[in-house]
Amino acid sequence: MSTPTRRFPEDFTWGSATASYQIEGAVAEGGRGPSIWDTFSHTPGKVLGGDTGDVADDHYHRWAEDIGHIKDLGLKAYRFSIAWPRVQPGGRGEFNAEGIAFYSTLVDALLAAGIEPVVTLYHWDLPQELEDEGGWTNRQTAYLFAEYARRMAQELGDRISVWTTLNEPWCAAYLGYASGVHAPGRTDGAAALAAAHHLNLAHGLAGAAVREVLGADTKVSVTLNLHVTHPVDPDSAADRAAVAKIDDVGNEVFLGPMLEGAYPQSLLDNTSHVTDWSFVHDGDLALIRIPLSILGVNYYSSSRARFYDGTGERQQADGHGDGAGSPWVGCEDVEFLPQPGPYTAMGWNIDPDAFRDLLVRIGRRFPDTPLMVTENGAAFDDEVAPDGAVHDENRIDYLRRHFTAALDALEQGIDLRGYFVWSLLDNFEWSFGYERRFGIIRVDYDTQLRTPKDSALWYREVVRTGTIG
Ligand code: PNW
């Protein structure tokens, strides 16, 4: 008997994702104000090769061509982010009509091409003026964010399929304020926890504002990079406790308040030497826990941790920037050992089993909240063949294995609605600049020529057939 072909659901939302600062360029055009990533990338030593997002993929001028590529690939949806400083340069007060018009036109063009717009309101480009007043450590930022969200709901209205409040608040809080490898580059654990809480609050307030404008059934989501951490020795209670600590600081700090209405007591206890959590005000948790239409999950890699007994040098092979301070606030007695590989060009371990287990675990824990993979993909050192093609078999293999993991989760009854490959285009990979290429479409940074890689052509077939070739 032959096995039936395994197939994704007919209405599965296949897409690809990008983010404003990583692709748009045109940072001083159309009335855009500076963001913390402009400041950070222009600070010597912060980004590999001194790269900045000044030009990036020049998507601000080439968006029509880029939508053409999305259409050619047959994708059903496109996940992009709105640059807050493009639509409200100072983060408060005046809105910028030209910036709003850019996104409004983009959305119309997507719809005309039959592509669903999935919007992220915050993918890390905070208006610099707000950072000057404390950024995410300042509670006021959450309220200002909600006002910006409200305005975008008024402007883009029912043309948007899904409103995602935040992308990866873990990175914004801990890489931005604790390890300092992301903007604004601060290294203060207490500030990072305050930032995490204010990002939670921003999510709740913004989601509520969008629904106030567009109705209670408006689809609101948030995207989290959920960490999968294996204990070095699964039989060691100490190693399992170390992993539980990482889970708290990495995952539960967002899942708890957003989906369950509370911070875990273990998180508060384990970080009490860092902060007293007095930035959590009465009533905040009720504001944060809004009904979630979809939970977005970003997954790339897994890591391996154990209890650190203080002997020898503490290892930090968690893929978050060697040599920098640790993003794991309060986890001084935890160390990360290198994973066995294989690795992508980011040095991140490839572990599709962990992806499947994560989807199953989260899906079972929150059975009423559909899941969406809002990012998954890989950077590799692509080579361009003499004819200009990119034969990225390694990326195809990575995607094939992770698509299979998603199919496994679906077959186990998990309510997974869609999958967005990161990324549509090679782009500004944050502190790694243009050195690391995640795109399924190659970008030549001298000519801005776009060339679909073999992985894009392979993905087109997956989307067309609903099966993994
Ligand atoms: C995500 N880490 O970032 C972002 O959402 C994307 O903008 C980014 O390009 C993509 O993943 C690839 O990196 C991350 O250090 C950045 O663990 C850093 C980490 C994780 C995700």
Side-chain angles (χ1 to χ4, degrees):
M1 227 177 72
S2 68
T3 19
T5 310
R6 303 177 69 198
R7 207 175 279 280
F8 283 88
E10 199 64 49
D11 58 354
F12 198 70
T13 302
W14 290 108
S16 188
T18 62
S20 46
Y21 190 71
Q22 296 183 271
I23 65 166
E24 284 181 5
V27 292
E29 281 179 59
R32 180 186 179 278
S35 80
I36 55 175
W37 268 97
D38 296 286
T39 309
F40 190 75
S41 67
H42 280 272
T43 306
K46 298 297 184 190
V47 175
L48 201 64
D51 290 344
T52 74
D54 289 3
V55 177
D57 293 342
D58 194 32
H59 170 78
Y60 186 73
H61 299 112
R62 294 168 198 265
W63 56 269
E65 181 191 346
D66 293 337
I67 290 177
H69 284 293
I70 302 169
K71 192 177 179 186
D72 285 348
L73 293 179
L75 302 184
K76 299 178 186 167
Y78 173 52
R79 172 178 182 254
F80 65 96
S81 78
I82 296 175
W84 184 357
R86 199 177 278 294
V87 301
Q88 192 182 33
R92 60 154 57 83
E94 283 290 289
F95 282 86
N96 170 34
E98 209 177 333
I100 292 172
F102 171 73
Y103 296 108
S104 188
T105 306
L106 181 79
V107 166
D108 282 342
L110 286 167
L111 292 174
I115 302 159
E116 280 182 34
V118 172
V119 159
T120 302
L121 289 165
Y122 187 72
H123 202 126
W124 311 348
D125 35 8
L126 186 75
Q128 178 62 43
E129 283 185 36
L130 298 188
E131 183 56 38
D132 296 342
E133 296 166 19
W136 288 110
T137 68
N138 183 346
R139 184 178 174 85
Q140 188 62 25
T141 300
Y143 290 91
L144 294 169
F145 179 69
E147 286 320 301
Y148 147 67
R150 179 187 308 279
R151 180 62 180 261
M152 294 322 298
Q154 288 161 349
E155 298 285 349
L156 303 179
D158 59 5
R159 291 178 285 164
I160 302 303
S161 295
V162 181
W163 293 86
T164 309
T165 54
L166 309 172
N167 176 73
E168 300 193 351
W170 185 88
C171 291
Y174 296 105
L175 301 184
Y177 293 85
S179 71
V181 299
H182 279 190
R186 291 180 55 184
T187 50
D188 172 348
L193 292 173
H197 177 65
H198 295 140
L199 283 155
N200 279 329
L201 185 60
H203 158 74
L205 295 172
V210 167
R211 285 195 174 123
E212 241 174 75
V213 175
L214 297 172
D217 55 355
T218 305
K219 283 192 186 154
V220 171
S221 76
V222 67
T223 280
L224 303 178
N225 54 318
L226 295 174
H227 301 264
V228 181
T229 314
H230 305 290
V232 170
D233 175 3
D235 295 327
S236 154
D239 288 9
R240 291 199 306 272
V243 166
K245 263 189 162 180
I246 295 299
D247 262 337
D248 271 351
V249 174
N251 301 330
E252 301 306 321
V253 66
F254 304 111
L255 289 173
M258 288 180 181
L259 284 122
E260 297 175 329
Y263 286 104
Q265 191 57 44
S266 49
L267 169 68
L268 306 181
D269 293 345
N270 285 332
T271 54
S272 60
H273 60 296
V274 179
T275 177
D276 62 6
W277 289 80
S278 55
F279 43 76
V280 182
H281 294 189
D282 282 350
D284 281 3
L285 287 156
L287 295 171
I288 295 167
R289 187 193 194 180
I290 55 168
L292 263 193
S293 315
I294 287 168
L295 174 61
V297 176
N298 290 359
Y299 174 87
Y300 290 93
S301 180
S302 66
S303 44
R304 207 159 62 107
R306 71 175 176 196
F307 172 65
Y308 170 58
D309 65 7
T311 58
E313 206 184 322
R314 180 175 167 231
Q315 301 191 60
Q316 280 190 60
D318 61 344
H320 300 308
D322 289 343
S326 171
W328 299 104
V329 176
C331 301
E332 300 81 9
D333 56 355
V334 178
E335 66 177 350
F336 287 86
L337 266 55
Q339 284 275 58
Y343 304 103
T344 67
M346 295 298 287
W348 294 349
N349 180 62
I350 300 174
D351 189 354
D353 290 348
F355 181 41
R356 177 201 58 219
D357 294 348
L358 172 70
L359 293 174
V360 170
R361 181 159 48 84
I362 295 296
R364 294 213 170 124
R365 179 167 158 200
F366 307 112
D368 301 329
T369 308
L371 304 181
M372 189 96 104
V373 175
T374 37
E375 285 180 28
N376 172 250
F380 286 108
D381 295 323
D382 295 327
E383 278 172 37
V384 183
D387 63 354
V390 179
H391 303 302
D392 55 342
E393 282 304 320
N394 41 18
R395 187 171 287 104
I396 293 175
D397 183 62
Y398 179 97
L399 291 174
R400 180 187 286 121
R401 295 172 63 187
H402 288 79
F403 287 0
T404 303
L407 203 43
D408 289 342
L410 274 162
E411 288 174 358
Q412 291 184 45
I414 299 307
D415 187 5
L416 177 65
R417 301 288 176 92
Y419 205 120
F420 291 74
V421 171
W422 185 269
S423 178
L424 181 71
L425 304 165
D426 289 337
N427 60 49
F428 177 78
E429 179 48 35
W430 307 113
S431 45
F432 297 94
Y434 298 100
E435 190 63 38
R436 302 285 155 81
R437 293 174 177 271
F438 273 91
I440 53 173
I441 296 176
R442 180 172 178 93
V443 175
D444 178 322
Y445 293 112
D446 295 325
T447 62
Q448 290 293 345
L449 179 73
R450 275 83 162 130
T451 309
K453 304 177 190 177
D454 284 2
S455 56
L457 307 176
W458 173 84
Y459 186 34
R460 182 171 62 189
E461 283 309 293
V462 174
V463 173
R464 193 178 66 78
T465 62
T467 64
I468 305 169

